[in-house]
Structures are given as structure tokens and as C-alpha cells.
Amino acid sequence: MAEPVELPSRIGILPFRNKVLLPGAIIRIRCTSPSSVKLVEQELWQREEKGLIGILPVRDAAETVSVGSLLTQDVGTDLGDRSSKSQTGVSASHKVDGKSQQEPIHWHTRGVAARALHLSRGVEKPSGRVTYTVVLEGLCRFSVMELNTKGTYSTARISPLDMTKAEMERVEQDPDFIALSRQFKVTAMELISVLEQKQKTGGRTKVLLETVPLHKLADIFVASFEISFEEQLSMLDSVDVKLRLSKATELVDRHLQSIRVAEKITKKVEGQLSKSQKEYLLRQQMRAIKEELGDNDDEDDDVAGLERKMQAAGMPPNVWKHAQRELRRLKKMQPQQPGYNSSRVYLELLADLPWQTTSEEVELDLKAAKERLDSDHFGLEKVKQRIIEYLAVRKLKPDARGPVLCFVGPPGVGKTSLASSIAAALGRKFVRISLGGVKDEADIRGHRRTYIGSMPGRLIDGVKKVSVCNPVMLLDEIDKTGSDVRGDPASALLEVLDPEQNKSFNDHYLNVPFDLSKVIFVATANRAQPIPPPLLDRMEVIELPGYTAEEKLKIATRHLIPRVLDQHGLNSEFLKVPEAMVKIIIQRYTREAGVRNLERNLAALARAAAVRVAEQEHTMVPLNKDVHQISSPLLESRLSEGEVEMEVIPMGVNNHEVSSAFRVMSPLIVDEDMLEKVLGPPKYDDKETAERVASPGISVGLVWTAFGGEVQFIEATSMVGKGDLQLTGQLGDVIKESAQIALTWVRARATELNLATAEESGNLLKGRDIHIHFPAGAVPKDGPSAGVTLVTALVSLFSRRRVRSDTAMTGEMTLRGLVLPVGGVKDKVLAAHRYGLKRVILPERNSKDLVEVPAAVLGSMEILLAKRMEDVLEHAFEGGCPWRQHSRL
């Protein structure tokens, strides 16, 4: 404890606003205002250990004065008199630690002298302002006799209030003082014992109780309590030690009683808690405190708001009953419990789902819908007609359960945009669910709520996002779902797409039935083969073929070029792409079923034009003939200084003429040189087929892929060997078997086809091996449709005659030479058309599929039908097959 100190007659004053420092108490403060910084620097920093300052409580004028006497200092009357004395009872303005000088400050007449236990100096950045951090210890009370201003801070003439040693010895003999001391000591020991049980820190306080005089210990105890400012001032004004002990005893006893009440509440709460709920003690304490205060009013909290939201959601009766049970469970839980957040999120999902909210469908106008489809999509007449039929049925019977449309076609042909057009025609909201790469059944049905991180399935989440129960939902890439140990998403979709089952769709997370019967489902796929048959049976497959070159040209001029120019901040005044150049891009730079690569190439041209426009941005702008320059010496002098630049436009000049004045260049017209400069050399050539079929043993086939039809070259060659057949090109088992069948058929008819004499017919492969290769070895290949192409390549090899370079073929063959039908005829014919081939050999039984091929394509090509392998050979070679007359088949 601090030793008795001799106080100076005058001391620097540091004001404490609405706070009191008692003797023996220790407090840490930070001084930032100029007055307090100056005080600490001169009175403490410079004097080091000998420095003392006075801590004087101050009160705002708005505070009600109820205890003690006050001083008010007047420093605003005469700013030049910096040493003017203050007088009691005079109201004035004074700035204390940044307080506005327009507000009067009332100084208490008694304070406490303090010394610095620790003092540190700092500099704030970037202002450079000096600050001090001081740890102060209260020493003794004093009374203010006179308050003055010294520079930027106040000083006071003071007189000590503490008793002398002799006076204190006389008071200690007073029976009243002895009784008060005994009572204070008993109460303090009881408080220390209670605190020691709770906090295990009562040892040092017991030492203080035995060594420090009681009149000083009273201040130390009271300083550690949180009491009001008036009670602090009352304690400060208690100069008489008996009065001080009496007030301190009262405050210690009150603090002790508050601790006992808190313990009682704690015991009551702990008795109500189970062993697993101990960690939520604080929340239960708050409830018990409310019970003690009688404050049991229900607050309008988040749970009440959630309940109102659930009531307005329009849930079915069975779902509402389940939600009420879950809500009652939530109300009994505490926010800290593990299941609280999951239950709340679940109830919020129930409240957010559109149980009865629907989109207000516009009155269907089939003519407007057809016009919209025509404006958004070129061609696809059959597909658009089917959509119009679908919309017509919806118009006549709005609640009809129509089929689930599944658009199947290569990428870039407009499957997704067709689905959005259906939503626009019906006036419904559109939501897209991507199923590509989904292997977990929980993505469709949701996770069970027992799992950590569980969430609803994509279907329920999609319905929640659009906030209506009757959207148009697109199941994109439905053919690319997989299956593993986590389940089969395709099997889960069976319930979704079945009109008899989806009216009570049960999501695992939701755990209550949700009606999906009002949702219009549309699916897209690149291939129908990977879709499981039960799922495919629930959908109506509409195939979208690839576009012809003429259709691509129309799509580019009507849709792609305007969109690309808009995306790059250009218009037709900056870039023009003639139709002839678009045709070159289609024929020589893209060979695809859709138009995505075509759009990418057009975007490359737009970027090149954007660079030119941006580079010309700062060129000099020629003035229009009707735009006159100002001519004046004053303006010319200012222009020469580079400060102002001005042009005057006459009132008669219209906006079009003004804008034409700012055209900095003529439009950029795309030509072949620009194509080669921007897009590089042509990737494809019409002469490719003729060059590759320049020697015997090579034939041209047609195959189907997920990206549409493609042309497949087959190369066969022979070498010295032992009669083996070697196949390369990353082939599947089916196509390898087709090669074996083709070779067997050729060997069996070698004599009849004049490939060998009767004596040599059994030894066609004697002394040589056959190697058949399918180019593009990195691309996997499989399927039976290459059978006729393999036979043609082998016959060409053995006869040493070339196959016609303008002819492509497709078809499966049997061991007896019959040509069987194959799939993907439409895409294959379109692929041959893209490659510039003029003749296509098809199985005779595929003639019915030609109705799907655009008439423009059929008109520019010769379609040859074959029933047997000999018919194929007749059409494949120039001048027909000269060996057919020898055949007995």
C-alpha cells in the first residue's frame, strides 16, 4: 500500500467525468486530449517518481446534482485572463478532454491525490499526436480551496482531509469505531469466503484484511464494486472514518446478498438441467432471472416470426401438423444445442417452399408462341410443331398431365433454349437442374437429416428458388448421370417423371410429401442410349438433328452476328461480315452439328474489329461542314495554353448529322485475307476426301457420335505374313467382330468376285497379313454400322481398284451378305453433306428414315439403297462392279 505522503499546496487537476478514484484503488487511463497530455507531461513525465496529480470528479450540467458540493469554473468570460479564479456557484463553459466548450462542467469540491505506477508514451500515426498511458494509484483525499487554469490544464489550491496519526489513534479507541470495525471485518471475511469458493482467489484478500488499516481497506473494497456515480461520490465525501466504515459495510453486505441470490438462481437452474445440458447454464440462468423478476412476457423474436411465416405458407394439413410438432420441439431447445440450427433451417425450408403459390399463366396465344419459336430458332420445323401441339393441349386442358419432352441432339443445336421458350410461351418461371456427372441419389432425393451437412435434393431446392410450385423445370444432360455405391440418380428420377407418383414426391430431407405434378418437366440429352429404358419409357424423345450449311448461314446472319457484335460493343457500322465469308467459315473452319464453333469464330472476328476501333479512339475527329469553329484572339490564346477546347454546333444540325461527324473510320469488311489472319489457315478442305481415297484399300464410312454424324475413313493394306488380321484405331469388340465378318465374307466369295482363281480361293491370305486401320486413333470407336465399309475397303484392296471419292456408306452386314438397317441416318447424311460428299449408300430398310432429312440436303445428294452387299459394291466403284456377273448369289 502507499505510504502517507505530504501533499503540496497546489496540484495539477485531471478531471474524471462521471467516475471516482478512491484512495487505494488502481486505474489505467489513456490521455489523448491536449490538456490531459500536457498535464501528464509536466506533472508526471518530467517529475518522474515525485510527480503527483489530483483526480477530481466532474459532472455534466444535464446530470441531476444530488450529493456533495460542486464548483463551476468560468473561463469563457475573458479568454485573455488565463489565470482567472473560479468561484463557487458560477455557471460557465469549460472544455474537459475534448468536451464542447458550450456545455457547462461542474467540478466536485473533493478529490484524490494520485501517483503514477506506470507511465508510457506513444505517438499515433499518421497524425503524429502524442498520447500517454498511465496506471494511477489513489493516495489520499483532499479538498479544493481554489481552482485555476494554468496553460491548457487546471490546477487547484488544496488542503488534505485525512486524519493525522494522533487523531487516528484517538478514533481507534472509540467504542463505536471498534463495533463498526468488527462488523465490517465479519462481513468482509464472509464475502471473501464466498468469493474464494467461486473464484479460488481469496488468499491475497485475506492478507490485506489482516495488514491494511480498516479505514483504508473500506475504500479498497468499495472501489472493486460496480456502484453508481452518486454512491462513489458519497464514499469520497465520507471523510469521517466511522461514516466511511458504515457505508462500506452496507455496500459489502449488499454485494454479498447479490452473490447469494445469484447462487440461489444457479442452484435452481442446475436442478432443472440434465447432465447433458450443463453447458447451457447461462441461458437457463437468464430464464430464472426473468422468473425472479416476474418478466415472463413473450417477445416477438425470430421464432415467433418463423411461426407466422409458416402459418402463411399454406401447407397441407398433414404437413402443417408435422411442422407444428417440429416447431414445438424447436421452442424447447436452446440455440447452443447441436440440433437447434438443423431444426431451424428445416422449418425455414418448410416455410419457404411454395406449397400453393403458382405462376399466373398468360392466356396461350399459339400464333404468338409460334412466332416466338421462329424468332428464337431457325429450322427445327418438326420440333417446333410438336411444341405447338403440346401448348395447344395445355390451352384446351390446363390441368392436363402432358408427356415429359426429352430433346435429344448434339451440342449447340438449341435444346436448352427450346425449354426456356416453352416457359416464356406459358408465362411460367424457368429453372434449370444440371444432372451432368451426378452419381449420388441424394442429389435427387436429398440427404436424410441425420447426416451432418444434409440438404434437400436439387428438385426441391430448384422449386424453392423460383418460389412457385408450377415452374418449367429443365433436367439438363439427363444422359450423363452415373451410379455408384451412393445409389442411382436415374432410378430416383423414375418417381419424379411419373405423373402418377410425383404428386406425392418424398424428399429424404423434407420427409413430407411434396406435389410435383404441377411442374412441367423438360429433359435434354446428347444420346438416348445411355438413358435407362424404364426412364426413357417415361419421356417422349424428340430428336434435334444437326443444322445444314444453309441453316447455319441463316442462323449466323439472323442471330449470331447481331449477338456477337452486341457482346463486343460493336454494330454494323464497325464490322460487316458478308454472307460469302460466313459460308467459308462454315465450310472450311467448322464441321459440327451445332453452331457453337461458328459463334466462336465470329467472336474472334469481332475481337479483331474491337482492337481496331479502340486503337482509332483518339484520332482527330473531322468537323461536319455545318459545324463552325470559334475564332477569337482570346480563345486562340487559351487554346494555345492547352486549357480549353470548344466547338459550336448550330441549332439546325440534327443528331444524325452530329453523330456522323464523329465517325472515325469506315466499316471493317471481312474478307478471305482477314479470315486467314484472324482464324488461321482453313482447317478443312473439300478435296480432303479425294486425296485420302487416292489409292486402293480405302473407303469412306459414316458414323454417329454424341456430337452428331461424322465421316470415318477405313484404310486396309496387306504385307508379307502368315494370314493374320490386325486391327488398330482404339476399336471396340463389336467393330472388331464386324471386321472378322467382312474378311470372312470376302474370302468366301473371292472366286465369284474375281479376286482369286478357284484353286487360290482358299488361299487368299496365303503369305500375307491384312492390317485395317481406323484413323483418329485417339478416338474410341465401336458399333456394327461399319460392316459394309469394311467389305468395300477389302474388295478395293484385293482388286486394286479405288473406291469412288464422292461416295460414303453405312450399314451392318451379316455373314450371308445381307445389309441390315442402322441408326442415326439423318445425322450421318447431314455429316456427308457437310463434307461435300455427293453420294450416300444406305440400307434399303432405312429408306423410311429419309423423311427426316431436310429436302434441301436430299436435293443436293444422291441416295443409293442397298439390300445386299453386292448392291453396295455396285454403287461404290466407278463403272459399277465388274465381277457381279460371276456371282451365283
Side-chain angles (χ1 to χ4, degrees), residues 848-889:
K848 62 183 183 299
D849 298 317
L850 294 176
V851 296
E852 299 179 359
V853 181
V857 176
L858 292 178
S860 62
M861 301 183 69
E862 182 182 1
I863 305 298
L864 306 169
L865 301 178
K867 186 176 181 180
R868 299 186 58 84
M869 193 61 229
E870 288 82 353
D871 300 331
V872 176
L873 297 177
E874 178 72 20
H875 298 309
F877 291 92
E878 189 72 39
C881 178
W883 319 283
R884 186 169 185 174
Q885 57 184 346
H886 302 283
S887 176
R888 294 189 298 271
L889 297 178

Side-chain angles (χ1 to χ4, degrees), residues 829-847:
V829 173
L830 291 177
H833 182 262
R834 285 199 301 271
Y835 271 75
L837 298 171
K838 302 300 181 182
R839 305 167 80 242
V840 175
I841 303 174
L842 296 176
E844 187 178 61
R845 291 167 61 183
N846 278 122
S847 59

Side-chain angles (χ1 to χ4, degrees), residues 780-800:
K781 308 170 191 69
D782 203 2
S785 62
V788 297
T789 316
L790 285 164
V791 171
T792 304
L794 290 173
V795 172
S796 172
L797 174 67
F798 292 137
S799 66
R800 299 185 181 181

Side-chain angles (χ1 to χ4, degrees), residues 14 30-46 97 119 121-122 129-134 152-153:
L14 180 64
R30 185 168 179 264
C31 301
T32 59
S33 66
S35 59
S36 58
V37 168
K38 194 69 174 178
L39 170 67
V40 172
E41 186 171 337
Q42 292 188 1
E43 301 293 337
L44 296 179
W45 183 267
Q46 295 178 2
D97 288 344
L119 182 62
R121 181 175 181 175
R129 184 174 63 171
V130 177
T131 62
Y132 284 95
T133 302
V134 190
T152 59
Y153 63 90

Side-chain angles (χ1 to χ4, degrees), residues 707-885:
F707 302 98
E710 288 291 338
V711 170
Q712 174 67 59
F713 293 92
I714 297 180
E715 301 174 351
T717 188
S718 62
M719 68 209 89
V720 177
K722 302 178 181 179
D724 296 334
L725 174 63
Q726 185 176 357
L727 302 172
T728 56
Q730 202 172 158
L731 309 178
D733 292 337
V734 176
I735 202 168
K736 289 179 180 178
E737 292 175 355
S738 297
Q740 291 286 353
I741 292 172
L743 182 59
T744 300
W745 188 87
V746 172
R747 292 179 62 187
R749 283 147 182 83
T751 303
E752 297 154 354
L753 297 175
N754 279 343
L755 301 180
T757 62
E759 294 77 12
E760 298 174 346
S761 61
N763 299 322
L764 183 64
L765 300 181
K766 183 178 181 181
R768 58 179 175 180
D769 291 342
I770 302 299
H771 185 171
I772 300 177
H773 176 63
F774 290 72
V779 181
K781 308 170 191 69
D782 203 2
S785 62
V788 297
T789 316
L790 285 164
V791 171
T792 304
L794 290 173
V795 172
S796 172
L797 174 67
F798 292 137
S799 66
R800 299 185 181 181
R801 294 195 59 183
R802 291 181 299 180
V803 179
R804 292 185 58 161
S805 61
D806 61 347
T807 303
M809 61 198 73
T810 183
E812 180 183 359
M813 68 161 292
T814 68
L815 200 58
R816 307 296 298 173
L818 293 175
V819 179
L820 301 182
V822 292
V825 171
K826 183 178 182 179
D827 293 309
K828 292 177 179 179
V829 173
L830 291 177
H833 182 262
R834 285 199 301 271
Y835 271 75
L837 298 171
K838 302 300 181 182
R839 305 167 80 242
V840 175
I841 303 174
L842 296 176
E844 187 178 61
R845 291 167 61 183
N846 278 122
S847 59
K848 62 183 183 299
D849 298 317
L850 294 176
V851 296
E852 299 179 359
V853 181
V857 176
L858 292 178
S860 62
M861 301 183 69
E862 182 182 1
I863 305 298
L864 306 169
L865 301 178
K867 186 176 181 180
R868 299 186 58 84
M869 193 61 229
E870 288 82 353
D871 300 331
V872 176
L873 297 177
E874 178 72 20
H875 298 309
F877 291 92
E878 189 72 39
C881 178
W883 319 283
R884 186 169 185 174
Q885 57 184 346

